[in-house]
Amino acid sequence: PTAALTVAECTALATRHPDTDGGLSAVKQNAEDRPAGCWYQAADVDGLGRGLYFNEPPPGAGAGEIDCSERWRCLCCDEDLTTTTTATSTPSLDNCVPEVVRAGRPLDTACPRPVKSPGQCTLAAQDLGLNASSPAILQSVSDRPHGCWVQSGNNMLFFNTELPVVDCSPSTPCICCDPDPPTTTSLTVTRTSSTT
């Protein structure tokens, strides 16, 4: 995923992002103790209220090395969440026949075709009949599977942009695209009769 590069791109991204309330304008920051780039804070923390921020840490030791977290939710772009304001795309399953994978690592033999975006993740969960409690939440964490996954117990749906370091499991099942979806063929038989 690529990050928003300007305050305006951050604001545009937040209007279409499933993790924000929408209607927010990004505030520019120059803080060493916050994540670099576009990030969202859902509640008042350390005197800084709910809001959308675009941080350009000052140059120096340790600047820009603060990780994203539940507290500071970084917003990134992907194929379906572009930073252009002229057109928006409607997510689709795009030749993906979704399946639930409970073992193995995304981008490996168990899940060679991960779902591509948060929007496609939400559609895939609906197609599978999963009762996800909300649209997919975009995250970038290293302790969860890459791509689309469901948190067992509360049915929360996530789309993780981190590279695959964690396997899919019964408690964090992945939603992947079937690498060999069934094909349907139709056969037309025409019967001709002849008189002799």
Side-chain angles (χ1 to χ4, degrees), residues 84-118:
T84 176
T85 56
T86 56
T88 58
S89 61
T90 303
S92 72
L93 286 177
D94 192 29
N95 297 320
C96 173
V97 176
E99 66 177 355
V100 176
V101 175
R102 290 183 172 82
R105 191 166 288 188
L107 297 172
D108 207 348
T109 56
C111 180
R113 288 185 57 215
V115 169
K116 295 179 185 178
S117 68

Side-chain angles (χ1 to χ4, degrees), residues 12 85 148 162 172 179:
T85 56
C148 185
E162 277 293 311
T172 57

Side-chain angles (χ1 to χ4, degrees), residues 27-87:
V27 175
K28 188 171 182 177
Q29 289 183 311
N30 297 101
E32 288 184 10
D33 63 344
R34 299 290 188 266
C38 187
W39 64 277
Y40 171 71
Q41 183 166 286
D44 184 52
V45 176
D46 298 333
L48 191 59
R50 178 182 85 66
L52 181 66
Y53 302 92
F54 185 80
N55 188 28
E56 291 179 326
E65 294 181 12
I66 302 299
D67 290 332
C68 303
S69 65
E70 281 299 310
R71 182 181 192 181
W72 300 317
R73 301 172 185 175
C74 296
L75 306 184
C76 298
C77 312
D78 64 20
E79 297 93 37
D80 284 350
L81 291 173
T82 59
T83 55
T84 176
T85 56
T86 56

Side-chain angles (χ1 to χ4, degrees), residues 11-23:
T11 299
L13 175 62
T15 63
R16 296 183 310 276
H17 199 282
D19 201 24
T20 67
D21 305 6

